[in-house]
Amino acid sequence: MKTLHFPSKIKIAAILNKSVFNISKVNDHIVPSGLDGEMLKYLVEKLKFEFELVLQNDGKYGSLDTNGKWNGVIGLVQRGEADIGLATLSITEDRWEAVDFSIPYGVIDRVFAVRVPGKMPKVTTFIYPFSQNVWILYILMILAATVLFQRIMYRRFTLLGSFLSVLGSVVSQSMEHVRETPWRRVLLGLWMTIAAVMPFLYNTSFLSYLTMPEKVPVPRNFEELSKAVLSGKYKCLPTKGTIEQEMLLRSRIDYLVKMGEMIQKNGWEYSYEERISELLENPVAIITANSGLKLLLGSPPYIAVKVSEDYFGIWHVGIAMKKGFCCRERLNEAIYRIISGGLIEKWLDDISFADTLHKRLKNKHGEPKLQLTLEDLKLAFFTLIIGYALALLAFLAELLSPKSLVIFYS
């Protein structure tokens, strides 16, 4: 069987990115590293060729500019300044019109990542069991019951006295001086049911929270992220030089288009050279490939981010080739062997392990603390003291107040 020809030397367009494609010189020889670097070394070994790197200085992977011309790696390959482009390029219809692609060797499912949410502050623990709308409804019910009881149920009670009596029923205090007629008993029974059920639901939720504290809410999907971005609570950063912003604008999904317009207006973006962990300390969401998180932040359990529950697109990844490239079949054959051997996954795991090795060495194993500490009970004691102080003040006010300020009888 005749072996297909492959050139002895080719030009390769690439972008220098940490953990994706890096180069170093050893004995005057260029040694590539990173995920794409490992692939290039494999191709050089199997196809027996030398390469000349054509590096893209603007950091762009390839998109159409305002003049309708291709920039980035795609532009270099299209103009013939490079034979192939190796930069984890997404295969899109527009790009395919400009260059050819190899068979796909990976998949990019674009998600967003935010910092792992911290625990809710303990200062406002007592308001967590109910949502804001439930609290508002509950307060309105108490006020309505106050007016209704003062007008119908009580004998000569002032409005303030009715309010204190209704409020006391919520915390299991008895209600006295109620007019007893059949239909008033029905009204009283209805309110006492509410006064018993609501505290029960509150206590149940509160104990659940103490067992497993709530965490600060963060966007879970792109729709929630879009709302957070439009309201100014979050920034959303696409990868510099990619088509992520363009795909958001062309998605035809209203909330994605609006978020893309906000990104375009503010010029938000990030590069792989930045410290992603420090970038995420702020309320920031970064758009990236799910598999790319390993390259950016390392492997679990050292990835301290929360990934979105959905994604706004899936694209295959391939090597770009200039139109009419002579040896597409041989290149595809080598890539097929890489895929079949699971080398992409192996390189990805090796690189992410190496990037987090220093974290592994610094990490100290410790047994989880299961005891309650004074810090855990500080809020409970503080609340108890405040309650006793308010009760004492109410008692003194009742003793010292003149009879003209009696609130239970008018």
Side-chain angles (χ1 to χ4, degrees):
M1 181 177 175
K2 186 178 179 180
T3 304
L4 296 175
H5 169 71
F6 200 88
S8 59
K9 187 172 183 178
I10 62 173
K11 293 182 178 180
I12 298 177
I15 297 177
L16 293 180
N17 277 328
K18 180 184 178 182
S19 302
V20 180
F21 189 88
N22 242 323
I23 55 173
S24 57
K25 281 192 175 182
V26 178
N27 298 328
D28 294 329
H29 290 285
I30 294 177
V31 179
S33 59
L35 182 62
D36 286 345
E38 294 297 329
M39 177 179 288
L40 178 57
K41 287 194 289 187
Y42 178 90
L43 294 176
V44 168
E45 180 182 350
K46 296 302 178 183
L47 300 177
K48 310 296 182 185
F49 66 88
E50 295 181 359
F51 63 89
E52 177 185 346
L53 284 178
V54 182
L55 298 177
Q56 182 58 34
N57 295 326
D58 61 7
K60 295 181 181 284
Y61 291 80
S63 59
L64 287 168
D65 59 22
T66 54
N67 298 320
K69 295 183 179 180
W70 285 95
N71 55 30
V73 173
I74 297 294
L76 292 174
V77 177
Q78 184 207 29
R79 294 189 297 268
E81 298 177 30
D83 298 302
I84 66 174
L86 188 65
T88 56
L89 296 168
S90 301
I91 302 174
T92 65
E93 185 176 357
D94 292 341
R95 286 177 172 178
W96 199 285
E97 293 177 359
V99 298
D100 287 334
F101 279 96
S102 66
I103 61 173
Y105 63 82
V107 173
I108 290 180
D109 48 345
R110 281 189 166 86
V111 297
F112 70 83
V114 295
R115 183 180 60 177
V116 170
K119 294 180 180 179
M120 296 282 261
K122 293 183 178 180
V123 178
T124 52
T125 302
F126 292 99
I127 68 172
Y128 295 153
F130 293 156
S131 66
Q132 181 179 354
N133 292 336
V134 174
W135 278 118
I136 293 174
L137 179 61
Y138 195 20
I139 292 171
L140 292 176
M141 287 173 58
I142 292 175
L143 295 178
T146 297
V147 175
L148 191 63
F149 273 52
Q150 194 265 341
R151 295 292 181 86
I152 300 175
M153 302 292 294
Y154 288 124
R155 302 185 183 95
R156 298 183 299 127
F157 265 42
T158 63
L159 197 60
L160 180 57
S162 178
F163 172 74
L164 292 177
S165 183
V166 169
L167 191 62
S169 67
V170 174
V171 291
S172 303
Q173 298 296 318
S174 63
M175 300 182 72
E176 299 177 349
H177 307 289
V178 177
R179 296 178 182 177
E180 295 185 5
T181 59
W183 68 273
R184 286 190 176 95
R185 289 178 181 176
V186 173
L187 181 60
L188 178 63
L190 179 61
W191 172 251
M192 294 306 294
T193 302
I194 296 173
V197 170
M198 292 300 290
F200 172 77
L201 295 177
Y202 174 87
N203 291 333
T204 303
S205 300
F206 183 67
L207 291 174
S208 298
Y209 171 78
L210 293 179
T211 304
M212 186 172 291
E214 289 287 336
K215 293 189 175 181
V216 177
V218 296
R220 297 172 298 174
N221 50 55
F222 275 93
E223 186 172 4
E224 291 183 2
L225 177 62
S226 178
K227 292 178 181 178
V229 169
L230 294 176
S231 64
K233 295 179 180 178
Y234 263 82
K235 290 183 180 180
C236 181
L237 310 182
T239 313
K240 181 180 180 180
T242 64
I243 58 173
E244 291 167 350
Q245 178 181 315
E246 180 184 346
M247 298 308 295
L248 287 171
L249 294 171
R250 295 170 57 185
S251 65
R252 298 182 182 179
I253 301 175
D254 185 55
Y255 58 84
L256 290 181
V257 173
K258 288 181 179 178
M259 186 168 67
E261 291 172 349
M262 183 67 74
I263 293 171
Q264 186 180 52
K265 177 183 177 181
N266 293 281
W268 291 335
E269 60 181 11
Y270 77 98
S271 68
Y272 290 135
E273 302 302 320
E274 298 182 57
R275 291 182 176 271
I276 307 301
S277 57
E278 294 181 4
L279 191 65
L280 291 173
E281 289 298 317
N282 301 311
V284 169
I286 61 169
I287 298 179
T288 183
N290 203 357
S291 57
L293 287 173
K294 277 189 174 184
L295 295 178
L296 292 175
L297 298 170
S299 57
Y302 305 98
I303 297 180
V305 296
K306 182 176 178 61
V307 182
S308 61
E309 298 173 356
D310 63 348
Y311 39 82
F312 78 89
I314 299 177
W315 290 268
H316 288 95
V317 178
I319 296 177
M321 299 176 285
K322 66 181 181 180
K323 294 288 186 180
F325 183 63
C326 65
C327 311
R328 181 176 178 177
E329 290 184 21
R330 287 212 63 194
L331 184 61
N332 283 341
E333 181 184 348
I335 294 174
Y336 179 76
R337 290 178 179 176
I338 291 174
I339 298 169
S340 301
L343 294 179
I344 296 292
E345 290 77 11
K346 179 184 181 302
W347 294 333
L348 189 63
D349 290 340
D350 289 347
I351 294 169
S352 63
F353 175 82
D355 287 345
T356 55
L357 184 59
H358 65 287
K359 295 181 182 179
R360 296 174 186 271
L361 295 175
K362 291 181 180 179
N363 187 49
K364 296 180 180 180
H365 176 72
E367 294 295 332
K369 296 180 179 180
L370 301 178
Q371 302 92 347
L372 285 173
T373 63
L374 185 59
E375 183 69 23
D376 298 321
L377 299 175
K378 181 173 66 176
L379 182 61
F381 283 121
F382 177 76
T383 306
L384 181 64
I385 292 171
I386 293 294
Y388 281 145
L390 292 175
L392 179 60
L393 290 175
F395 175 70
L396 293 176
E398 185 177 353
L399 289 178
L400 300 176
S401 62
K403 292 184 179 180
S404 58
L405 296 179
V406 174
I407 62 176
F408 287 104
Y409 298 98
S410 59

